[in-house]
Amino acid sequence: MTNEELQQLVMKISANIFNKPFMHEAYFNNRLKTTGGRYMLRTHHIQINPTSFELYGLEELEGIIRHELCHYHLHIEGKGYKHRDKDFKELLKMTNSPRFCANLVSTKRTTRRISHVYGCMSCGLLYRRKIRLNTSKYRCGKCSGPLMKVE
């Protein structure tokens, strides 16, 4: 889907569901990582995460657009447009808009990068550390022997 097609879709949803015109720009923003979309207060533009469309399809995209249009129309009218506002929650229900988008961030934990390995010169115990340590300041916790950088 191109930005022009997205613009037309947002204008169509705004006219059909909200019965109000969308007079600003809607476009994809590849830099959005954790959210499905974003309404910009100063410019009134709507940015959409293209990953949400690629992963979950048109139905999820339309839900995100409806959610962002709730922010848009309430802000233009001077009503409560924030997630915690009563006006916003009521408009979400009226338009059948989702409160949250589908999860975009993987829940897989990243492994810790270990770049420094130290060994005890007496007992041979290894210490793996992300941050470099001063071997003249620290000793082995097991036998109090001196430490030496292994890798």
Side-chain angles (χ1 to χ4, degrees):
M1 178 177 274
T2 64
N3 283 334
E4 291 79 23
E5 292 170 332
L6 177 67
Q7 178 75 28
Q8 294 303 316
L9 181 62
V10 172
M11 291 170 75
K12 183 180 114 188
I13 291 172
S14 181
N16 293 346
I17 294 176
F18 295 88
N19 297 320
K20 298 173 187 172
F22 178 71
M23 306 299 290
H24 294 85
E25 289 182 42
Y27 52 90
F28 287 112
N29 183 350
N30 291 317
R31 290 175 294 162
L32 295 177
K33 299 295 178 200
T34 59
T35 184
R38 176 167 65 183
Y39 166 63
M40 306 300 290
L41 292 173
R42 291 187 183 170
T43 60
H44 305 294
H45 297 331
I46 292 177
Q47 299 176 354
I48 302 292
N49 187 341
T51 307
S52 60
F53 174 62
E54 293 164 8
L55 291 177
Y56 301 107
L58 187 62
E59 188 175 332
E60 177 72 16
L61 178 66
E62 289 177 354
I64 292 168
I65 292 169
R66 285 195 314 268
H67 178 98
E68 299 307 325
L69 283 171
C70 288
H71 288 296
Y72 172 79
H73 289 299
L74 289 171
H75 183 249
I76 296 287
E77 294 170 8
K79 295 180 180 176
Y81 60 89
K82 296 179 183 173
H83 286 111
R84 66 177 177 260
D85 293 331
K86 184 180 175 187
D87 293 331
F88 182 75
K89 290 177 183 176
E90 288 174 357
L91 189 57
L92 282 178
K93 283 183 185 175
M94 285 174 39
T95 59
N96 196 25
S97 301
R99 182 120 160 89
F100 304 103
C101 70
N103 191 13
L104 294 171
V105 181
S106 93
T107 55
K108 182 182 166 189
R109 248 182 107 188
T110 58
T111 56
R112 211 166 81 160
R113 202 177 105 232
I114 297 171
S115 55
H116 303 285
V117 180
Y118 298 91
C120 175
M121 294 170 66
S122 299
C123 68
L125 185 65
L126 292 177
Y127 294 92
R128 302 176 196 287
R129 297 287 180 265
K130 277 185 6 181
I131 299 172
R132 194 169 35 131
L133 62 90
N134 184 355
T135 54
S136 63
K137 189 175 180 182
Y138 295 98
R139 313 250 331 154
C140 177
K142 182 179 177 185
C143 69
S144 296
L147 297 177
M148 183 177 82
K149 185 159 173 104
V150 177
E151 291 177 20

